[in-house]
Amino acid sequence: AWVFDRDNLDGGTVRDIAGDLDARLSGGARLDASGNALILDGTTTVTLSAGALPRGLPRRSITVEAWVAVEEPGDWGGIISCLQDNGGFEKGWLLGTRNRRFAFALSTTGADDGDGAMTYLTADSDFEPGSWYHVAGGL
């Protein structure tokens, strides 16, 4: 669990408040004026140690959530994810956007076409750019 505020952000490191998987920020990111929200410029990534991930990936169920305000919707947008996408090979999960709608994507064994496949669930209605939303996805 990562909270992007002054108390949990030290330089480029975001403290994991629920465990020991601290995250690293790279690219253009800054806290807003209140110090309670991270502003991303579209080039920022937040990464965990790749070696630490397999022990924490869910096998049966998952829920991911975030508070976000999307200023400029694009064709594809990621809020939080753990995925590998090499063209036809897709594995993992994503909470993000498709155009002006929130989406959750998941790769499961049953939907696998032999080299990986993501199943996308997309919201029924558009979000309003610049407005704050609490979004969640899960299985």
Side-chain angles (χ1 to χ4, degrees), residues 2-63:
W2 303 272
V3 177
F4 298 97
D5 62 13
R6 284 189 187 110
D7 293 337
N8 295 296
L9 183 61
D10 182 16
T13 300
V14 184
R15 185 173 63 89
D16 178 0
I17 63 172
D20 62 355
L21 288 176
D22 291 348
R24 290 282 309 151
L25 293 174
S26 61
R30 62 183 170 82
L31 290 175
D32 72 349
S34 72
N36 293 314
L38 190 65
I39 298 174
L40 308 175
D41 70 358
T43 66
T44 305
T45 59
V46 180
T47 55
L48 304 174
S49 167
L53 286 176
R55 68 184 168 102
L57 290 176
R59 299 206 186 282
R60 292 183 172 247
S61 61
I62 183 173
T63 301

Side-chain angles (χ1 to χ4, degrees), residues 69-116:
V70 179
E71 297 291 335
E72 297 179 30
D75 294 341
W76 299 93
I79 298 167
I80 185 169
S81 64
C82 181
L83 63 91
Q84 180 179 357
D85 185 349
N86 298 1
F89 179 86
E90 301 173 330
K91 294 288 184 190
W93 55 266
L94 166 111
L95 180 64
T97 61
R98 292 188 72 184
N99 299 305
R100 292 184 58 173
R101 296 188 177 194
F102 291 111
F104 180 71
L106 182 67
S107 173
T108 63
T109 303
D112 193 345
D113 63 357
D115 64 355

